[in-house]
Amino acid sequence: FAVYEAGKHGGELVYSYAGGVGIRSGDPKDVERLLVAATYHQAQADRKAGQAAAAASLIAQTATRFPSDPEMQMFAAESLLLDAKNPQGALDALARVTPPEGNRILVGRLATLQADAYEAAGQKDQAIAVLEKTVAAFPSPRMQQRLDALKGAGAR
C-alpha cells in the first residue's frame, strides 16, 4: 500500500510540476508555468544556435502575456540586453519593474540587471550607484564582489 501511495502521489507531482505540467490538470496556472518554461528553454536553444533575434522575439511575446509578473519582465529586459544588444531598452524596461517589497532575491536580480545594462551603456557610475544602494539595503557577498569589480574596473 505504501509503495502504491508513493507512486500515485509521485506521479501527480511529476504531472503537476514537471514533464506533464498543464497537460493533465488543465489548471491555467499549470499551463502558464509550462509556457514560461518552454519559452526559457527555447530561448536558450535559440541563443546557443546563434539566433538571438528569435530568442528576443519569443521572450518579448511571452512577456506581454505576463505584464504584472516582475520575474517575467526582468527576463524580457535581460533579453533586450543580451539578445537585442539594447542596454537603454533594458533600462527602460527595468524602470517599470517593481519587485515585491522585501523580496531580496528579486531586488538583487533587478539591481544586477540594472548594473549590467548601465555598464553596457558605458555608465559605470550609475551601475556602481545602483549596486551600492542595494548592498546597503540587502547585504550580499556576490553583489559586493560585483560592486568591487566595477569599482576596480573604473579605477584602471
Side-chain angles (χ1 to χ4, degrees):
F1 178 75
V3 171
Y4 168 78
E5 282 295 310
K8 179 179 181 241
H9 294 296
E12 288 171 0
L13 283 172
V14 167
Y15 280 104
S16 294
Y17 294 99
V21 84
I23 296 170
R24 292 228 174 143
S25 74
D27 181 343
K29 289 293 182 191
D30 289 344
V31 175
E32 287 175 358
R33 282 195 299 270
L34 177 61
L35 176 62
V36 170
T39 296
Y40 174 81
H41 289 288
Q42 184 60 55
Q44 294 301 320
D46 288 345
R47 285 175 181 160
K48 188 175 182 181
Q51 299 174 350
S57 175
L58 180 62
I59 293 168
Q61 182 181 12
T62 304
T64 62
R65 294 183 61 96
F66 304 96
S68 61
D69 182 340
E71 291 178 77
M72 193 66 218
Q73 296 308 307
M74 284 190 273
F75 184 41
E78 179 183 45
S79 176
L80 284 169
L81 181 61
L82 298 178
D83 300 319
K85 307 293 186 224
N86 182 355
Q88 188 57 54
L91 287 167
D92 293 344
L94 291 168
R96 295 186 297 270
V97 174
T98 305
E101 191 172 323
N103 186 323
R104 297 173 61 99
I105 293 170
L106 291 186
V107 169
R109 178 81 176 119
L110 178 61
T112 301
L113 284 171
Q114 287 173 320
D116 291 346
Y118 278 125
E119 185 176 22
Q123 300 176 32
K124 284 189 181 175
D125 290 343
Q126 289 292 91
I128 290 169
V130 166
L131 292 176
E132 284 178 335
K133 179 181 175 188
T134 306
V135 166
F138 299 106
S140 160
R142 181 175 288 176
M143 203 172 302
Q144 184 64 53
Q145 285 178 329
R146 175 80 168 95
L147 178 59
D148 293 344
L150 264 175
K151 286 181 175 180
R156 291 179 189 164

